[in-house]
Amino acid sequence: MRSDLMKKGFERAPHRSLFKAMGYTDEDLQRPIIGIANSANKVVPGHIHLDGIAEAVKAGIRAGGGTPMEFSTIGLCDGIAMGHKGMKYSLASRELIADSVEVMATAYPFDGLVLVTNCDKIVPGMLMAMLRMNIPSILISGGPMLAGQLEGKAIDLITVFEGVGKYASGKITEDELKKLEDKACPGAGSCSGMFTANSMNCLSEALGLALPYNGTIPAVSDERKVLAKDAGERVMELAAKGILPRDIATGAAFRNTIAVEMALGSSANTPLHLLAIAKEAKVELDLNLFNEISRRTPNLCRISPAGPYHMEDLHKAGGVPAVMAELNKEGLLDTSLLTVTGRKVEDNIRDADNLNTEIIRPIENPYSKDGGIAVLFGNLASEGAVVKQSAVDKDMLTHNGPARVFDSEEEAMKEILGGKIKKGEVVVIRYEGPKGGPGMREMLGPTSAIAGAGLDKEVALLTDGRFSGGSRGAAIGYMSPEAQEGGPIAVIRDGDIIKIDIPNKRLDVDLSRQEIEKRLEEWKQPEYKIKEGYLYRYAMQVSSASKGAVFE
């Protein structure tokens, strides 16, 4: 056993003595030792209940003949970090989470790992660590929050963000905004739409590194703890059989995952994270593959913000297995691949039923013939930009308009909430990329304010920062190369005509190559916004968004 490195032999008597100080017995130490990376805390609604999930995991590990040992990782709530300096740390926290699990699982050579997680950057950080360590492992999430209810209608966090825009534009009263605030988030779980957290939890199923229904069983359901106990038992089977994460997360598994991503219409953040996860799996991905798979994969789901449904509805309709079963009707998945169930994909989805053909459209009647995510290229984004096309109004799939340029999110928000953005304009927010932010903030505030003002069908937003999974409208982000590195977005001026053509995967500014080059020659790189601490180190090391914003 790998754990023998810290517990076996006369020379490890001091080590065993320290374990016994914590209450572990000789019998405990003779069993396989399974590390539990638990991101529970009392500052994230998606994580406030994870101690209970971890206890269920421990029960499963003990039932399988193992000894669980729990340790913690950090985790922050993107919604609470949104709109201020804290959001600069969100994406950057992903690397800290992966590194912290690596540190603990190396200092303590566990025989296996269970990664207890839920929200935006914590899920991909955990998956990165799992694949980096490559010891028998399984991921279990805390599950999605239920949708809120107000006057007979389902609402969620995005309803509140958009309510801010409605209030600023005089469309609702302060009392109506307060009612949204009070009712949108009814309890524990990751926010209830197909936002980044739930997207990544669903895609962890598709990748084969989490059990079926990991992405959709509600946080407050007893089914969630049953799944967690099962995860504890399954990791013991993986350890006994020597099945490793990289045996599962192969190139073919990533292609399956991208197909499921397109069918779900998941968060625009998912390509960024999948690129980073694939790097740890020693699998080569590039953004062109997302368009290639999108062209042949129909969009079957429109979960909030793309539609009126929420994660609880997707679960009742059959969850990710039902989506995968629909894709398999047209042979769009490789079902011969191994998963953490110990079985192949084909076995996991054999009995899956589509129980609601509006929430999960049959493959012969999709919402659209291509997938929910598109990667755009052009003279503004030679390395790519990403848009959640399933959440874009059909009238905005192609759009030409004059640029309104801002050098920070705060500058843009002031103008948007002040009612100074005109119909037809293209809001450009730059110097918010991985290096320029630093940290690549999400722009849920600006997109929600635009939507709340009723302009999401007439105003586009471009940025080298990110968009929340809750953003809707013509929100195009992750533009690479970013402004801080001298990408063309750095030299756009107010009034330049931006040309958006999502069907043809193009993003351009109506300027000649010579004019762009002339402006770039005159451009001078600005000083970094933060010059100390972790964010400065992050800015010095982080790669382009087109490479997953990983450390180089």
Side-chain angles (χ1 to χ4, degrees):
M1 289 187 290
R2 186 172 181 266
S3 60
D4 287 348
L5 291 169
M6 64 178 173
K7 69 182 186 183
K8 191 173 183 179
F10 74 89
E11 68 272 32
R12 295 295 182 256
H15 304 61
R16 293 191 296 272
S17 182
L18 290 167
F19 279 120
K20 288 174 181 179
M22 294 181 279
Y24 294 102
T25 66
D26 287 329
E27 184 180 358
D28 291 332
L29 297 177
Q30 288 166 7
R31 297 170 180 157
I33 296 178
I34 307 298
I36 300 174
N38 185 3
S39 56
N41 61 43
K42 303 304 178 185
V43 295
V44 183
H47 291 236
I48 57 172
H49 64 307
L50 291 188
D51 282 338
I53 300 296
E55 289 302 316
V57 169
K58 291 176 188 176
I61 291 169
R62 293 188 183 106
T67 296
M69 292 187 180
E70 181 182 350
F71 61 93
S72 60
T73 69
I74 64 169
L76 59 83
C77 175
D78 278 26
I80 295 171
M82 197 78 64
H84 59 87
K85 185 179 178 180
M87 180 48 72
K88 293 177 181 288
Y89 287 84
S90 175
L91 180 61
S93 74
R94 187 188 69 182
E95 314 309 308
L96 289 173
I97 291 160
D99 290 350
S100 68
V101 175
E102 175 196 351
V103 166
M104 291 300 291
T106 304
Y108 294 77
F110 301 121
D111 299 301
L113 279 173
V114 181
L115 301 119
V116 181
T117 180
N118 214 20
C119 289
D120 296 58
K121 308 309 162 298
I122 303 98
V123 178
M126 294 281 203
L127 289 170
M128 289 165 67
M130 178 194 295
L131 288 158
R132 184 185 302 172
M133 294 306 302
N134 201 35
I135 61 177
S137 303
I138 192 168
L139 182 137
I140 173 72
S141 80
M145 185 185 293
L146 296 176
Q149 296 291 323
L150 182 62
E151 298 174 356
K153 294 182 179 180
I155 61 173
D156 55 39
L157 180 67
I158 307 309
T159 317
V160 190
F161 269 101
E162 294 185 2
V164 172
K166 289 180 179 179
Y167 175 74
S169 59
K171 293 187 174 183
I172 62 173
T173 66
E174 184 176 356
D175 182 61
E176 288 172 315
L177 180 59
K178 180 66 162 54
K179 287 180 181 178
L180 292 176
E181 172 188 328
D182 290 344
K183 298 293 185 180
C185 299
S190 48
C191 295
S192 57
M194 190 58 76
F195 315 142
T196 305
N198 292 325
S199 294
M200 292 308 304
N201 281 324
C202 288
L203 295 184
S204 66
E205 288 185 48
L207 193 53
L209 296 176
L211 296 174
Y213 307 104
N214 175 71
T216 57
I217 295 174
V220 296
S221 169
D222 289 343
E223 289 180 73
R224 177 57 59 179
K225 289 189 177 179
V226 172
L227 191 76
K229 184 177 181 181
D230 193 15
E233 293 177 350
R234 297 287 180 177
V235 78
M236 296 306 301
E237 295 178 11
L238 296 171
K241 295 177 181 178
I243 297 174
L244 306 178
R246 292 184 204 164
D247 298 334
I248 295 169
T250 62
F254 276 96
R255 289 190 288 275
N256 276 1
T257 302
I258 295 170
V260 173
E261 172 187 41
M262 296 303 169
L264 288 172
S266 56
S267 165
N269 277 312
T270 54
L272 181 81
H273 294 315
L274 288 175
L275 289 167
I277 294 163
K279 183 175 184 291
E280 300 291 355
K282 313 299 183 186
V283 170
E284 288 191 16
L285 290 185
D286 68 53
L287 285 171
N288 288 293
L289 181 63
F290 289 82
N291 280 343
E292 177 187 324
I293 293 175
S294 179
R295 279 191 287 270
R296 62 174 183 260
T297 308
N299 178 224
L300 305 181
C301 301
R302 292 283 169 95
I303 309 300
S304 176
Y309 306 112
H310 291 83
M311 296 305 295
E312 62 206 80
D313 303 311
L314 178 60
H315 184 62
K316 291 173 186 176
V320 174
V323 174
M324 295 178 74
E326 288 291 345
L327 293 176
N328 195 44
K329 290 177 182 178
E330 297 291 337
L332 295 174
L333 299 177
D334 183 342
T335 60
S336 68
L337 305 179
L338 184 65
T339 73
V340 289
T341 64
R343 303 186 299 273
K344 297 178 180 179
V345 172
E346 61 189 356
D347 301 313
N348 292 345
I349 67 174
R350 180 174 292 119
D351 298 324
D353 291 320
N354 184 351
L355 302 176
N356 188 321
T357 56
E358 182 59 24
I359 294 170
I360 304 173
R361 288 280 184 91
I363 198 161
E364 59 272 15
N365 181 34
Y367 281 102
S368 64
K369 292 182 179 180
D370 55 356
I373 301 292
V375 181
L376 313 183
F377 296 91
N379 67 6
L380 269 181
S382 60
E383 295 176 9
V386 180
V387 61
K388 184 171 180 172
Q389 62 181 348
S390 60
V392 180
D393 185 87
K394 61 179 177 26
D395 292 335
M396 288 295 288
L397 291 171
T398 59
H399 178 76
N400 293 349
R404 285 288 304 279
V405 183
F406 304 95
D407 287 344
S408 71
E409 178 187 2
E410 288 83 358
E411 290 180 16
M413 276 296 285
K414 183 178 179 181
E415 294 294 289
I416 295 167
L417 292 177
K420 296 180 180 179
I421 301 301
K422 299 175 183 177
K423 294 179 180 180
E425 290 184 326
V426 178
V427 175
V428 178
I429 305 176
R430 62 190 178 195
Y431 297 109
E432 292 286 4
K435 290 181 178 293
M440 205 179 190
R441 288 191 287 183
E442 288 185 340
M443 301 292 159
L444 181 57
T447 58
S448 296
I450 288 170
L455 294 172
D456 56 300
K457 297 180 182 180
E458 296 167 291
V459 170
L461 200 158
L462 311 183
T463 182
D464 52 7
R466 297 180 296 126
F467 287 113
S468 163
S471 292
R472 64 183 175 95
I476 301 167
Y478 319 85
M479 292 173 65
S480 300
E482 63 172 291
Q484 188 72 24
E485 292 193 298
I489 187 176
V491 295
I492 296 174
R493 297 172 183 168
D494 283 348
D496 288 344
I497 300 300
I498 307 298
K499 302 169 71 174
I500 299 167
D501 187 348
I502 295 173
N504 290 306
K505 311 298 187 285
R506 296 291 306 179
L507 178 62
D508 297 282
V509 58
D510 191 15
L511 296 172
S512 67
R513 181 172 58 83
Q514 292 81 2
E515 176 62 19
I516 293 172
E517 289 176 354
K518 177 177 177 292
R519 291 186 187 184
L520 286 171
E521 287 175 4
E522 297 169 352
W523 172 82
K524 293 182 180 180
Q525 185 185 57
E527 292 187 359
Y528 283 89
K529 294 176 183 175
I530 294 177
K531 298 181 181 180
E532 60 184 7
Y534 175 60
L535 274 182
Y536 182 65
R537 299 198 306 275
Y538 180 86
M540 294 299 100
Q541 298 178 71
V542 71
S543 73
S544 164
S546 64
K547 297 179 181 178
V550 296
F551 283 167
E552 292 186 316

